[in-house]
Amino acid sequence: AKTIGITPVEGEPYHFFISSMSNGIYEYENYYSQKAHYSVNNSSLQSIYPDVEGYVRVGKMNFDSDGNLWATNWMVDKPLSVFSKDGEWYSYSFDLNNNSYFEGVYIDNSDYKWVLMNPVSAFNVMVFDDNNTLTDLSDDRVKFLKAVDDDGEVFAKRCFSFAQDRDGTILIGTDQGIAVYSSPERIF
């Protein structure tokens, strides 16, 4: 399986998760010891082919401030999943077709999930706020964005990465330069 990303568990130097292009998520403890393999049979992750164990495509993952692991799941009905610190899995659907590639998730200081979307999608970025309630969907918020310049003009087709600076500004690396969101706490 092609490795997409490795996400370490904070404070546990030999505990990490690996996302893969076709086999879901692997969890390792003690550096070399595989603890678990998460796929369609034991998680909220989905295969691009219903009822097929393989083809569970997972993008880059990140932890929120509560220790929940968030992961993107490509080309499926529920493309955002979370593995809670309590060991439970949850997934979220959005008003999109299941051909969307959710390539990775970055979590900002407000615990908003900034999701990279592929260039085939109508948008570059999705921002999701679960309001720190994994099971209560009624308080969730979502916003779809395009990479825009200071004048509000779309300038990029593809986004690759996120960062948040010390002032809280979100910087999005694109194929045409950096998109800047200076007040991400007001994104909704």
Side-chain angles (χ1 to χ4, degrees):
K2 180 181 175 188
T3 298
I4 299 297
I6 299 173
T7 306
V9 177
E10 189 173 338
E12 300 180 40
Y14 300 109
H15 186 190
F16 55 92
F17 291 82
I18 298 174
S19 57
S20 73
M21 177 56 107
S22 60
N23 290 323
I25 298 172
Y26 296 89
E27 181 179 4
Y28 282 82
E29 284 185 323
N30 302 323
Y31 198 66
Y32 296 110
S33 177
Q34 182 178 319
K35 177 180 178 182
H37 172 222
Y38 303 106
S39 193
V40 295
N41 294 326
N42 63 351
S43 74
S44 63
L45 299 172
Q46 299 173 299
S47 170
I48 63 172
Y49 301 114
D51 303 320
V52 175
E53 175 70 24
Y55 301 100
V56 179
R57 297 181 173 178
V58 178
K60 294 176 184 169
M61 306 175 293
N62 253 306
F63 284 98
D64 65 20
S65 65
D66 291 326
N68 303 307
L69 179 68
W70 291 84
T72 55
N73 194 184
W74 296 13
M75 300 175 65
V76 297
D77 293 331
K78 295 183 175 181
L80 187 61
S81 283
V82 59
F83 183 46
S84 75
K85 64 183 173 195
D86 300 324
E88 298 294 325
W89 282 93
Y90 305 98
S91 60
Y92 303 86
S93 61
F94 305 97
D95 192 19
L96 298 165
N97 66 44
N98 67 354
N99 290 326
S100 295
Y101 293 92
F102 280 42
E103 296 179 346
V105 60
Y106 174 80
I107 301 174
D108 71 12
N109 296 338
S110 299
D111 269 340
Y112 295 166
K113 289 73 180 169
W114 294 72
V115 178
L116 292 170
M117 298 176 71
N118 76 337
V120 176
S121 301
F123 301 94
N124 305 100
V125 174
M126 180 189 80
V127 185
F128 175 69
D129 177 21
D130 67 312
N131 271 303
N132 296 316
T133 58
L134 299 178
T135 59
D136 182 1
L137 304 180
S138 68
D139 65 353
D140 294 351
R141 300 183 294 178
V142 65
K143 186 159 189 176
F144 295 94
L145 306 172
K146 294 184 179 190
V148 295
D149 62 18
D150 291 338
D151 298 321
E153 299 294 321
V154 175
F155 78 96
K157 293 182 180 178
R158 182 96 193 241
C159 295
F160 299 103
S161 60
F162 296 103
Q164 188 165 31
D165 70 13
R166 291 180 182 159
D167 296 326
T169 299
I170 294 289
L171 308 169
I172 302 175
T174 77
D175 59 351
Q176 299 296 314
I178 296 175
V180 177
Y181 291 88
S182 57
S183 299
E185 69 279 359
R186 294 187 301 207
I187 200 75
F188 296 104

